[in-house]
Amino acid sequence: HNGYSLLEIRENLIDFSEREQLQYYNTTLKWRHRSFMQFALRHPEFPELAAAAYNYEMTVKGISLMSRRQLFQSLRNNPDAQLNAQFEAWQALQKNISRQYALPPEKRMSHVDSLVARSNELERNLALGSNMFRQASSATLWKDVQSALGTDEAAIELGMVDNISGDSTWYVAWVIRPREANPQQIVLFEEKELRSMSAIRKLYSSESNPSDGKNLRELLWNPLQASLQGVKSLYFAPAGFLHQINFAAIPVSDQQVVSDLMQVHRLISTNQVPDLKRSTRVAALPASALVMGGILYDADNMSQSASSGMSDTTTFILRNRDGVPYTDWDYLPGSH
């Protein structure tokens, strides 16, 4: 069933515009995704289900999130004049549609829907004419990702699975290591265990405080730690609120964070791993960097309002969501 679902996704979504992909997923695939993932979580005794879940999560992310980026890359320098003309027309339509949606409904053009329909038609034509786009949507499976990994590397697809009762969501990790027979399926935490995303300092704290709820070390690192022993390079694709998390900055002890143990590569989908490993391109190092430190967070920036401009003594208050200044931000070790 999972194999047929993946085949349907690849054969249908590649011909859809991004808007149509989202609509198709929400109306046709989402319930199937939820029921299959719930089944996989209920039966951890069957490792083949973890492999199928990894393939599904990776494929959905890879097509629905990578399509436009890959499409742009393949079309910007395409020698086909007709395809280039369609690409330029599509870009112009997108800008026009964005401008219309930025207006109040009563001030929009009467035929915005026809512009959207034309944009979707052009995007489908562009997808069909793009070899790189079609390659990006090809059938990459977890074994392909595994074969691209070095002995001290790992790949993680992170996903969300609705609780059977429907009152919460589980965050799950599917971990690939070289030479393992199947991916590992690790239930990380329930979404309601995350007290507040606004309490950033508490989330990244290396110390546990039950009254503050669990921190990222407890929610993410502790469940994954055993599976990542000896890993020097990690490729991962986030989901849900984990898009807002700096995985490399998660504390693993009082003195270390994840980036002290391994290189962390954040991806849209781990189906990018084989292409990244085959690539011979080396990213250019920046020629310069701007580093800021010694910020006096608690200084009163109202006193700076009379200043004629910025200076090396200008300071700002860091406030929380309620507008109350923080008073206990300490210097980072070694920064003063």
Side-chain angles (χ1 to χ4, degrees):
H1 182 273
N2 181 256
Y4 279 120
S5 296
L6 293 179
L7 182 63
E8 180 183 359
I9 290 171
R10 294 188 190 103
E11 292 193 347
N12 286 337
L13 267 67
I14 193 172
D15 295 332
F16 289 175
S17 69
E18 195 170 31
R19 189 187 303 269
E20 290 168 335
Q21 286 178 354
L22 182 60
Q23 183 178 6
Y24 180 76
Y25 179 78
N26 285 330
T27 58
T28 306
L29 298 176
K30 196 171 184 178
W31 68 270
R32 192 185 303 169
H33 185 181
R34 179 169 58 243
S35 60
F36 172 73
M37 292 300 191
Q38 288 173 347
F39 186 78
L41 288 191
R42 287 201 303 272
H43 295 283
E45 68 273 20
F46 296 112
E48 297 85 356
L49 288 175
Y54 192 109
N55 287 338
Y56 194 93
E57 188 74 27
M58 175 177 63
T59 300
V60 169
K61 286 181 187 174
I63 292 179
S64 64
L65 298 180
M66 286 181 65
S67 58
R68 181 168 292 188
R69 184 175 64 86
Q70 293 286 4
L71 187 59
F72 283 1
Q73 288 179 355
S74 64
L75 291 171
R76 283 201 169 95
N77 298 308
N78 197 296
D80 188 324
Q82 183 178 359
L83 209 60
N84 270 326
Q86 289 182 335
F87 183 50
E88 291 175 4
W90 178 79
Q91 285 184 306
L93 267 175
Q94 288 294 103
K95 290 179 182 178
N96 195 4
I97 292 169
S98 297
R99 283 196 294 267
Q100 292 301 315
Y101 280 137
L103 297 172
E106 65 274 9
K107 293 186 178 181
R108 294 174 190 166
M109 299 168 58
S110 59
H111 60 286
V112 175
D113 288 345
S114 65
L115 295 180
V116 172
R118 175 58 179 158
S119 172
N120 288 340
E121 181 184 356
L122 282 173
E123 191 172 334
R124 282 194 297 272
N125 292 339
L126 292 170
L128 290 171
S130 167
N131 289 331
M132 184 182 290
F133 176 81
R134 297 190 73 87
Q135 290 170 8
S137 303
S138 62
T140 302
L141 300 176
W142 78 270
K143 280 283 190 183
D144 301 311
V145 177
Q146 185 187 50
S147 64
L149 295 173
T151 56
D152 59 354
E153 296 183 325
I156 300 178
E157 277 291 342
L158 294 157
M160 302 163 62
V161 182
D162 290 341
N163 204 334
I164 297 174
S165 61
D167 63 346
S168 187
T169 300
W170 289 101
Y171 277 83
V172 185
W174 291 277
V175 183
I176 293 178
R177 294 291 303 269
R179 296 188 295 275
E180 294 288 339
N182 285 288
Q184 300 175 59
Q185 179 174 269
I186 301 171
V187 178
L188 299 172
F189 60 91
E190 207 169 0
E191 193 169 49
K192 59 187 179 184
E193 294 182 73
L194 187 69
R195 294 282 184 89
S196 173
M197 267 300 293
S198 62
I200 297 297
R201 286 180 300 161
K202 295 174 182 177
L203 277 177
Y204 285 95
S205 172
S206 60
E207 299 178 358
S208 175
N209 186 340
S211 64
D212 294 333
K214 291 185 177 180
N215 56 32
L216 293 175
R217 183 177 175 181
E218 298 168 294
L219 295 171
L220 289 172
W221 178 249
N222 288 351
L224 291 171
Q225 182 177 10
S227 300
L228 298 180
Q229 289 295 319
V231 170
K232 299 300 181 185
S233 186
L234 174 66
Y235 300 86
F236 79 102
F241 103 91
L242 298 179
H243 284 284
Q244 303 174 50
I245 293 300
N246 182 355
F247 196 94
I250 296 174
V252 299
S253 69
D254 292 341
Q255 301 296 326
Q256 289 184 311
V257 295
V258 170
S259 61
D260 292 320
L261 304 182
M262 64 191 72
Q263 287 188 320
V264 179
H265 308 273
R266 179 188 177 117
L267 306 175
I268 297 172
S269 166
T270 56
N271 71 357
Q272 295 173 266
V273 172
D275 283 338
L276 288 173
K277 301 290 282 187
R278 283 192 297 264
S279 176
T280 58
R281 292 177 299 173
V282 178
L285 294 174
S288 61
L290 174 64
V291 179
M292 297 184 181
I295 303 171
L296 302 178
Y297 290 108
D298 300 325
D300 185 1
N301 61 335
M302 295 301 293
S303 65
Q304 305 291 333
S305 60
S307 175
S308 58
M310 297 291 289
S311 71
D312 58 359
T313 59
T314 302
T315 54
F316 298 91
I317 293 178
L318 184 67
R319 299 177 184 272
N320 66 17
R321 185 172 291 181
D322 299 322
V324 179
Y326 289 122
T327 57
D328 57 349
W329 282 76
D330 296 327
Y331 280 97
L332 294 174
S335 66
H336 58 84

